[in-house]
Amino acid sequence: MTYCLLLLSVVAVTAAVPVPRLLTRAKWPEREPVVALWVWQCLVATVLLCCLTALALGAAAVFGTVRAQLFAPAPPAVTAAYDLSHASPWTTVLTVLLAGGAAWTTAMLARELVEARRRRAGARAHLRDRAPDLPAGLPEGRGPLLVLEEEYPDAWWMPGSPPQLIVTTGALQRLTDHQLDAVLTHERGHARARHDWLLHLSTALAAGFPRVPLFAHFCEQTHRLVELSADDTASRRCGHLTTALALIELNQHRGVLSCSSSHRLLGERVDRLLEPPPRLERRDRALATTAAALVPLVPLFITFAPGLLSTLP
């Protein structure tokens, strides 16, 4: 059991500190944002699985009740392989820290979901106030599309029940039909990929553990990569130039081409659409996706290996 905890700690630290820093310096995520998002999710899953499995082993060693529940269906040889009869002091301390981390993570996720629901309810109430009054006899604007009277062009997707796509009259006036189609395709790309849930997860982890490089970079890169992914969805349907022009028209009043840090991502997105980088080969994409999917299996293999080896003749 001690070796399992040491190996899980090494895997968790490796996935949480050096690997994210290397990934943020890589150039290929800009070429394949969907694959990059998958890699980041697999890294986070690896660290969380390391912590959960280490917590389970530590709790089984420290608390006899937990040990009896976890290993009740296992044969005696499997239980003996983990050597859970004596828990060292450092195992007890590690178990307490992991239990606190699990409780804190759950609290941060719950807070983020509550805050997101509160923000969404406030935004919907604000939109109802801004929505134009319809003539008597017509249904209220609760369909999938809501048009707001606003001189500035804008469009965004409002997740929830029901989800809505909000477009301003300024966008309808300034965008061509093809540009408007690109904007709508971009927002539908966010909705189909459920990027809102990914953003909630990354925000909660970064807020709960701001000093962990993996979670901090995961939040930063998720906000960036979801936009690049939606841009690719729109450009494949409507063309790179049309999507870039639509992005400029929507954000020109915000200073899309300025050098300020708040608008730097917009400028990078426009440059990327005007000069699209070449995609990775299909074989390379499949290899990266498969390799990333196998990484979260490492903590599971470390955890179950002693039990599996004990059953061999």
Side-chain angles (χ1 to χ4, degrees), residues 3 35 39 53 84 88 108-109 115 118 121 132 188 235 240 258:
Y3 292 110
V35 178
V39 172
T53 52
L84 300 172
S88 61
M108 289 295 101
L109 290 173
E115 287 293 320
R118 184 186 60 81
R188 291 193 191 102
S235 62
H240 291 88
S258 69

Side-chain angles (χ1 to χ4, degrees), residues 33-98:
V34 175
V35 178
L37 281 171
W38 173 249
V39 172
W40 279 106
Q41 293 175 73
C42 290
L43 277 178
V44 172
T46 301
V47 172
L48 295 181
L49 281 174
C50 285
C51 295
L52 287 176
T53 52
L55 175 60
L57 290 177
V62 175
F63 303 104
T65 305
V66 176
R67 180 166 61 251
Q69 293 293 328
L70 287 179
F71 291 87
V78 173
T79 305
Y82 286 93
D83 190 19
L84 300 172
S85 57
H86 302 286
S88 61
W90 80 270
T91 302
T92 304
V93 172
L94 178 63
T95 302
V96 172
L97 291 176
L98 290 174

